[in-house]
Amino acid sequence: IGQDYLRFEGSTITRGELLPSALSISEIIGRGACSIVQRATWQNEDKQRTVALKQFPLDCNERRDMLSKELRALCRVDCECLVRLMGAFLNQDTISLVLEYMDKGSVCDLLKASASMQQHSADETLKGLPEQVVAALGYQ
């Protein structure tokens, strides 16, 4: 991973498409043991796209190991039911993964939101969810 490219296990995943200067970072939308996730806007040529920016500070081996495992999984995935890796870059002592932004949140968020909806709205919100979960779990 460099300032404008991602190579992993012998393949170039991105090169020059995702520069830190093309991202406008906003609020934190998640935290984990080894990273934080922020919503960001990616300006690419004439279009803007909302993305999730997952940042891994490289100040300990545990974080490097988690990053390596996550990168390995994300680089091998090509399933429309799973979040896609769009690219990555190194900025000082932090590696940032640029991921597809899921505007409805997690499955847990969807289930919580549907509990307070009227039945018809909840049915529409959750329609197709079981098939997507099964497809994602069955992905190899």
Side-chain angles (χ1 to χ4, degrees):
I1 297 177
Q3 291 183 347
D4 70 342
Y5 68 92
L6 168 61
R7 278 186 60 78
F8 192 74
E9 295 184 345
S11 297
T12 300
I13 309 301
T14 59
R15 184 169 227 6
E17 297 98 6
L18 287 166
L19 299 173
S21 60
L23 293 168
S24 175
I25 301 170
S26 56
E27 77 273 10
I28 293 174
I29 56 176
R31 291 183 189 273
C34 297
S35 64
I36 64 165
V37 181
Q38 294 177 281
R39 183 186 335 244
T41 303
W42 173 28
Q43 181 70 42
N44 184 17
E45 297 172 10
D46 292 335
K47 45 186 179 168
Q48 286 187 345
R49 181 174 186 164
T50 301
V51 296
L53 186 66
K54 189 167 191 174
Q55 299 176 316
F56 286 84
L58 296 177
D59 57 358
C60 73
N61 287 336
E62 180 183 345
R63 288 184 175 158
R64 288 185 189 113
D65 292 343
M66 289 292 290
L67 172 63
S68 179
K69 288 176 185 175
E70 188 155 345
L71 264 178
R72 186 169 287 111
L74 288 169
C75 286
R76 292 180 179 159
V77 167
D78 186 21
C79 177
E80 67 180 18
C81 298
L82 297 172
V83 173
R84 293 176 193 263
L85 173 67
M86 300 169 71
F89 56 85
L90 175 65
N91 193 5
Q92 297 174 3
D93 62 346
T94 300
I95 291 182
S96 298
L97 304 182
V98 181
L99 303 165
E100 177 181 19
Y101 177 71
M102 307 306 288
D103 64 346
K104 302 244 188 296
S106 68
V107 171
C108 186
D109 294 337
L110 282 174
L111 293 174
K112 285 179 187 175
S114 69
S116 63
M117 292 179 183
Q118 293 181 353
Q119 186 64 41
H120 176 72
S121 295
D123 289 348
E124 284 301 309
T125 298
L126 299 176
K127 187 169 98 177
L129 184 61
E131 291 85 5
Q132 292 177 21
V133 170
V134 169
L137 290 173
Y139 182 79
Q140 295 182 23

